Amino acid sequence: MVNSPIAPDDLVRRVSQAHALLLELLNRLDDRQKDAASALPGWSRGHVLKHLADNARAFERQARGALRGEAIDMYDGGQDGRDQSIDRGAARPLAQLREELKAAQDALEDAWSGLTAADWGRAVRFRRATVLDTALARWREAEIHAVDLAVGYRPGDWSLDFALHALEFLSDRAPAGTRLLLRATDHEFTRTLGTGTAVEVSGAVRDLAAWMAGRGVDGQLSTTGRHLPELGPWPPDPAD
């Protein structure tokens, strides 16, 4: 769970902007390009789009379950159900995937629209956290997978607030046995993660966030080690 410095209304606005961005990026594609490789190994752009739609529905499911006082799974069928849905849906025509994504995003925003301050703090099964944490997670999904679509949106286009949030969320990826010092060269940001052998990695804050997210950087990162440290796994989440 991540403590959010962003008020729920402001966070919803940012997610809504990211949702609109995804739909705008789809206007740059045709069906042939939809079936081409994304920036995620093994996934086409169609896989990314289907995942984004399924993920929006999953977070709507978490919110509506929380309002009923129920902690429910993210996806029907768990991880296997999630993966099968993505594999089956990735080949659908771009127009259908776009329509599905828009409907799922609209439904998620609608589910959030009536939440009270207390509702945002309701428990969900996702990360054993709260509804507010699912909104932060959707922000990450939308912004990072927008980069994965590989249609011109880059980590350098992320807002500073998003880059800083991503760095906070991904801090657990610091390698075991390493005292990792992250130092931004374009913003007043330093963070020390983990314990052990000291290694510094420096660069633009958005590039640091991209590297911690396992994505390519727009500029260059420098390190005091022989090479950039190998990061640990993404923070675990059942059937993410």
Side-chain angles (χ1 to χ4, degrees):
M1 185 173 71
V2 177
N3 293 321
S4 174
I6 305 172
D9 287 350
D10 195 19
L11 179 56
V12 170
R13 178 182 60 80
R14 295 175 195 217
V15 174
S16 180
Q17 290 173 341
H19 282 172
L21 167 69
L22 288 169
L23 297 177
E24 188 273 326
L25 292 176
L26 296 193
N27 294 334
R28 306 179 188 182
L29 299 176
D30 57 27
D31 278 298
R32 179 184 58 81
Q33 294 166 323
K34 182 269 298 180
D35 291 330
S38 74
L40 280 177
W43 271 18
S44 69
R45 292 186 177 106
H47 286 85
V48 175
L49 295 174
K50 178 59 176 168
H51 168 58
L52 282 164
D54 287 352
N55 177 265
R57 279 192 296 269
F59 285 138
E60 180 198 358
R61 173 185 172 114
Q62 293 292 287
R64 297 198 186 280
L67 288 174
R68 299 191 300 269
E70 300 175 4
I72 57 179
D73 291 339
M74 279 280 285
Y75 300 96
D76 285 329
Q79 183 72 36
D80 287 344
R82 166 196 178 274
D83 294 346
Q84 290 172 15
S85 177
I86 294 170
D87 287 339
R88 286 195 306 266
R92 294 174 60 195
L94 178 63
Q96 291 182 18
L97 285 173
R98 189 185 194 283
E99 181 179 357
E100 180 182 3
L101 177 59
K102 184 179 187 304
Q105 292 183 157
D106 288 348
L108 175 58
E109 292 179 33
D110 181 68
W112 288 342
S113 66
L115 297 183
T116 66
D119 290 335
W120 284 107
R122 287 178 180 262
V124 294
R125 181 160 293 172
F126 171 80
R127 299 189 186 279
R128 298 178 179 84
T130 67
V131 177
L132 183 61
D133 289 291
T134 70
L136 286 166
R138 182 59 188 180
W139 193 25
R140 295 190 298 271
E141 291 280 338
E143 288 287 350
I144 292 173
H145 286 317
V147 170
D148 293 334
L149 287 173
V151 288
Y153 189 71
R154 297 290 304 161
D157 297 313
W158 287 340
S159 69
L160 177 60
D161 284 347
F162 178 76
L164 293 174
H165 164 66
L167 284 167
E168 177 187 2
F169 172 74
L170 295 167
S171 61
D172 287 344
R173 296 197 72 191
T178 299
R179 182 174 177 267
L180 178 62
L181 173 63
L182 299 177
R183 186 185 304 278
T185 56
D186 62 341
H187 181 70
E188 191 172 336
F189 171 86
T190 58
R191 182 69 55 84
T192 301
L193 309 173
T195 58
T197 304
V199 176
E200 178 177 318
V201 176
S202 60
V205 68
R206 292 165 178 83
D207 284 336
L208 291 172
W211 173 64
M212 289 290 288
R215 270 63 182 181
V217 301
D218 293 327
Q220 290 187 332
L221 296 177
S222 300
T223 180
T224 56
R226 294 180 60 186
H227 47 72
L228 291 171
E230 183 175 348
L231 295 170
W234 192 275
D237 176 54
D240 185 14

